[in-house]
């Protein structure tokens, strides 16, 4: 099961074990069970502190638990083979069960251990899903640190009947005590916030104790990371308040136009951004959503950013890098069937539609790339574009049209997503040339129609926004408010690209630096006036 490189890598990691680990498998007579046996035997052969047994009695076969030999009440179960994107999750489960400390703040571990109540998690993932590992690893950590928490992590492709019976049509899909808990990517702190009613109050109290920053960056994507590094290198106290560090890059699969790097993937790039920011004295405040901006003239010389949890952060200069999110169709049925056939991530959810008929809405690069990827998995793809022609790069269009199981419909306005109450059954669209309504029967709809800036919270701040909701900036990344700068996909800068966002974030930071050295700090001004 493991190639030479993976074997060597895993053997090296297992050298960090501090306590014996047990692998207990429940197997059937099927090929996947044989592969599971082979995998566990290979792992056990790599280290004396790892043992594998095959006498498990769980009904879900193949599956296996990972537990510390000295504490059998704390365990995590994998249903199917955690390979592909989940191989790292398997390695971490082995290490954590073996006593190797996770790279998590101690107060988070304490919060896990102190949770009261019984929590039985079941989570479905696909091997091609780049959003799933965060949830898998978060639930693994929680199960191995609190005996009242169990985590069963299920590879949907192996248990297709189970996926169908539970109407799982998007991953990651997480159930708690038999009921749907969450759909989508979550880290351990986000899960804890949903379980622990006091988490928000503790977070707000923690924010309230912070001194004002010289530069406060709002948003943790490529633009925010670049801005914070530049201001920190200038010696200014810098903080980042991010709804999720990494931003939309976390939802991006293949990246082939990041200059000097022929190919990378979004989660990997996001981890590299986080690592680079970690090289400097930057206060990263993750899972913090901005709710309001109060200009400095109203707050004694400091701009105030009010967070959704009620806390406030202050900065002499502020750099806004809140990015953008996927645009919704805004038609009947879209929200009703979200995660029930309406999806936004073809890489994550595509494997759940194997052999089925799906539609992709959008003829730009994202839409055409999604259609190409899906065509290799699903039975048939219908791409629907509002414009009279596709807008994707020609090389992508040529590839798309060469695929035998793809239809392209242009000049088509999607008007409704159809369903039977449980899942998508089709969609209606208007032929814009003929003026007639038509229906396509299908089982999934992937929406890829561009981005909308995350600027709703700024509408009463005095910052000028474009008619599309973008922050209006000048050539130096300055906004209409003195001392407030902006960069990246939330601004009027053309061409929403990672490399451009990084450059714009750096520019905004340099402009903030120029602003700060030319303006007296509020406390210095007050002292001079006395």
């Amino acid at each position: 099961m493991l190639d030479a490189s993976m074997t060597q890598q895993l053997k090296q990691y297992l050298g960090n074990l501090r306590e014996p680990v047990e692998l207990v498998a429940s197997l059937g007579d099927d090929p996947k069970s044989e592969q599971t046996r082979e995998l566990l035997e290979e792992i056990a052969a790599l280290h004396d502190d790892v043992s594998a047994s095959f006498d498990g009695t769980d009904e879900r076969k193949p599956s296996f638990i990972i537990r510390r030999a000295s504490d059998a009440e704390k365990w995590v179960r994998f249903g199917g083979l955690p390979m592909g994107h989940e191989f790292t999750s398997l390695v971490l489960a082995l290490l954590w069960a073996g006593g190797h400390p996770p790279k998590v703040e101690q107060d988070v571990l304490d919060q896990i251990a102190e949770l009261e109540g019984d929590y039985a998690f079941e989570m479905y993932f696909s091997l091609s899903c780049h959003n799933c590992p965060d949830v898998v690893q978060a639930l693994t950590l929680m199960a191995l640190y609190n005996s009242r928490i169990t985590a069963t992590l299920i590879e949907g492709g192996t248990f297709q009947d189970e996926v169908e019976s539970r109407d799982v049509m998007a991953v990651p899909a997480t159930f708690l005590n038999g009921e749907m808990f969450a759909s989508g990517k979550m880290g351990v702190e986000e899960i804890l916030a949903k379980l622990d009613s006091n988490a928000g109050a503790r977070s707000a109290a923690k924010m309230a104790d912070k001194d004002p920053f010289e530069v406060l960056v709002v948003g943790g994507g490529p633009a925010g990371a670049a801005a914070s590094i530049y201001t920190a290198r200038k010696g200014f106290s810098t903080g980042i308040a991010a709804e999720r560090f990494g931003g939309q890059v976390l939802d991006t699969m293949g990246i082939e136009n990041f200059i000097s790097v022929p190919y990378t993937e979004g989660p990997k790039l996001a981890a590299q951004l986080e690592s680079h920011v970690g090289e400097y004295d930057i206060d990263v405040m993750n899972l913090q959503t901005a709710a309001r901006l109060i200009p400095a003239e109203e707050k004694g010389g400091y701009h105030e950013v009010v967070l959704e949890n009620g806390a406030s952060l202050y900065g002499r200069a502020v750099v806004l890098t809140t990015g953008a999110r996927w645009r919704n169709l805004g038609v009947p049925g879209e929200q009703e069937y979200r995660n029930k056939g309406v999806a936004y991530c073809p890489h994550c959810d595509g494997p759940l539609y194997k052999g089925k008929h799906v539609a992709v809405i959008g003829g730009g690069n994202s839409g055409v790339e999604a259609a190409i990827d899906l065509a290799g998995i699903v039975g048939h793809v219908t791409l629907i574009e509002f414009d009279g022609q596709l807008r994707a790069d020609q090389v992508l269009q040529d590839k798309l049209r060469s695929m035998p199981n793809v239809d392209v419909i242009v000049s088509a306005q999607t008007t409704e997503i159809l369903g039977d109450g449980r899942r998508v059954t089709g969609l209606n669209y208007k032929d814009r040339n003929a003026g007639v309504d038509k229906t396509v029967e299908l089982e999934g709809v992937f929406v890829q129609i561009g981005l909308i800036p995350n600027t709703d919270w700024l509408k009463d701040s005095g910052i000028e926004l474009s008619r599309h909701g973008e922050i209006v900036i000048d050539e130096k990344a300055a906004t209409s408010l003195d001392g407030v700068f902006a960069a990246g996909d939330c601004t009027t800068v053309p061409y929403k690209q990672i490399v451009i966002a990084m450059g714009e974030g750096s520019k905004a930071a340099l402009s903030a630096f120029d602003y700060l050295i030319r303006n007296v700090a509020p406390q210095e001004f007050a002292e001079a006036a006395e």
Side-chain angles (χ1 to χ4, degrees):
M1 285 297 299
L2 301 176
D3 61 28
S5 175
M6 295 170 73
T7 299
Q8 183 59 37
Q9 181 184 22
L10 183 54
K11 184 175 183 178
Q12 181 179 352
Y13 283 131
L14 293 178
N16 294 306
L17 295 180
R18 299 180 181 183
E19 296 187 44
V21 174
E22 295 177 339
L23 308 175
V24 182
S26 300
L27 304 179
D29 298 326
D30 56 288
K32 282 287 181 71
S33 290
E34 284 303 311
Q35 291 175 344
T36 301
R37 179 187 291 272
E38 180 183 349
L39 174 64
L40 300 188
E41 287 176 342
E42 289 181 9
I43 294 173
L46 295 177
H47 199 283
D48 291 341
D49 280 343
V50 181
S51 64
S53 61
F54 304 95
D55 54 357
T57 58
D58 192 76
E59 293 181 355
R60 189 178 282 110
K61 300 176 181 180
S63 68
F64 64 95
I65 65 171
I66 300 175
R67 68 189 182 197
R68 188 174 302 172
S70 62
D71 192 354
E73 291 185 357
K74 295 176 182 175
W75 52 267
V76 59
R77 179 182 298 277
F78 285 94
L81 290 168
M83 303 300 285
H85 284 295
E86 296 302 342
F87 181 68
T88 298
S89 302
L90 172 62
V91 173
L92 290 173
L94 291 165
L95 291 177
W96 295 338
H100 185 70
K103 294 181 179 180
V104 177
E105 296 292 336
Q106 186 59 47
D107 60 347
V108 173
L109 296 178
D110 292 342
Q111 191 178 356
I112 294 171
E114 292 167 3
L115 273 178
E116 297 182 355
D118 296 311
Y119 302 98
F121 285 101
E122 295 171 291
M123 178 262 179
Y124 293 86
F125 63 89
S126 72
L127 297 181
S128 62
C129 173
H130 57 279
N131 286 326
C132 293
D134 277 13
V135 188
V136 169
Q137 292 163 26
L139 294 175
T140 296
L141 182 69
M142 294 174 67
L144 293 175
Y145 272 78
N146 187 325
S147 61
R148 299 182 70 177
I149 300 173
T150 62
T152 300
L153 312 167
I154 307 157
E155 194 275 298
T158 301
F159 296 94
Q160 193 68 40
D161 291 344
E162 192 173 325
V163 166
E164 294 277 351
S165 67
R166 300 186 80 165
D167 290 331
V168 175
M169 304 190 73
V171 290
T174 305
F175 291 79
L176 173 59
N177 299 333
E179 301 292 332
M180 175 59 84
F181 175 71
S183 181
K185 182 174 181 175
M186 293 187 299
V188 64
E189 292 174 323
E190 292 169 280
I191 297 173
L192 287 171
K194 289 175 69 72
L195 298 177
D196 186 350
S197 59
N198 293 321
R202 284 198 298 271
S203 176
K206 192 174 181 180
M207 296 296 107
D209 292 335
K210 294 183 181 294
D211 293 329
F213 296 98
E214 289 175 291
V215 179
L216 175 61
V217 180
V218 184
S228 68
I229 289 170
Y230 264 71
T231 58
R233 285 176 59 85
K234 292 294 186 182
F236 289 126
S237 63
T238 301
I240 298 180
E243 188 167 347
R244 57 172 186 158
F245 194 92
Q248 198 180 30
V249 168
L250 292 166
D251 303 326
T252 305
M253 191 56 178
I255 300 171
E256 298 178 345
N257 58 357
F258 189 61
I259 309 306
S260 83
V261 181
Y263 180 82
T264 188
E265 295 180 350
K268 180 179 180 181
L269 179 57
Q272 291 171 325
L273 291 174
E274 188 170 12
S275 176
H276 196 175
V277 168
E279 294 292 319
Y280 298 91
D281 186 18
I282 298 170
D283 189 348
V284 178
M285 297 158 282
N286 204 12
L287 304 181
Q288 303 299 328
T289 302
R292 192 157 55 102
L293 172 66
I294 302 176
E297 56 264 26
E298 300 178 29
K299 301 301 297 184
Y302 287 102
H303 300 286
E304 179 182 2
V305 174
V306 182
L307 304 176
E308 280 193 354
N309 63 16
S312 289
L313 299 172
Y314 299 88
R316 283 183 60 200
V318 172
V319 180
L320 304 173
T321 63
T322 48
R325 62 189 182 275
W326 288 115
R327 186 182 299 276
N328 293 327
L329 282 168
V331 300
E334 180 179 19
Q335 293 305 315
E336 291 89 333
Y337 291 102
R338 189 183 182 99
N339 297 323
K340 298 178 182 179
V342 175
Y344 300 84
C345 180
H347 302 292
C348 300
D349 301 331
L352 300 175
Y353 294 83
K354 185 176 181 179
K356 298 181 179 181
H357 184 181
V358 304
V360 173
I361 313 298
N365 281 350
S366 295
V368 172
E369 287 174 353
I372 292 170
D373 289 343
L374 288 166
I377 302 171
V378 305
H380 192 275
V381 178
T382 299
L383 186 143
I384 297 176
E385 164 58 28
F386 180 86
D387 202 353
Q389 60 185 3
L390 300 183
R391 295 167 286 108
D393 296 341
Q394 191 61 48
V395 64
L396 294 175
Q397 293 190 42
D398 293 342
K399 173 67 174 176
L400 179 72
R401 295 185 188 280
S402 72
M403 309 189 85
N405 61 335
V406 175
D407 289 332
V408 176
I409 303 174
V410 297
S411 297
Q413 179 182 359
T414 304
T415 56
E416 184 178 8
I417 306 294
L418 306 174
D420 60 7
R422 294 179 57 209
R423 58 184 64 193
V424 166
T425 59
L427 64 78
N428 290 336
Y429 72 91
K430 175 176 285 187
D431 183 326
R432 297 177 58 234
N433 292 327
V436 298
D437 295 326
K438 298 183 178 181
T439 298
V440 180
E441 294 184 0
L442 42 75
E443 296 158 286
V445 177
F446 289 82
V447 181
Q448 301 280 291
I449 57 171
L451 303 171
I452 185 168
N454 296 318
T455 58
D456 295 344
W457 65 288
L458 294 171
K459 288 182 178 177
D460 297 323
S461 66
I463 287 183
E464 182 183 358
L465 302 177
S466 74
R467 63 187 180 90
H468 300 296
E470 299 165 316
I471 302 171
V472 177
I473 57 173
D474 65 15
E475 70 279 2
K476 292 186 177 181
T479 73
S480 57
L481 287 181
D482 199 32
V484 179
F485 306 87
D489 289 0
C490 64
T491 73
T492 50
V493 67
Y495 313 120
K496 313 304 186 186
Q497 299 288 306
I498 293 170
V499 69
I500 292 174
M502 288 181 174
E504 289 291 307
S506 305
K507 182 200 296 184
L510 292 172
S511 294
F513 165 73
D514 185 68
Y515 168 81
L516 291 173
I517 63 175
R518 295 173 186 275
N519 289 273
V520 179
Q523 64 271 23
E524 295 172 357
F525 180 82
E527 291 169 1
E530 291 178 354

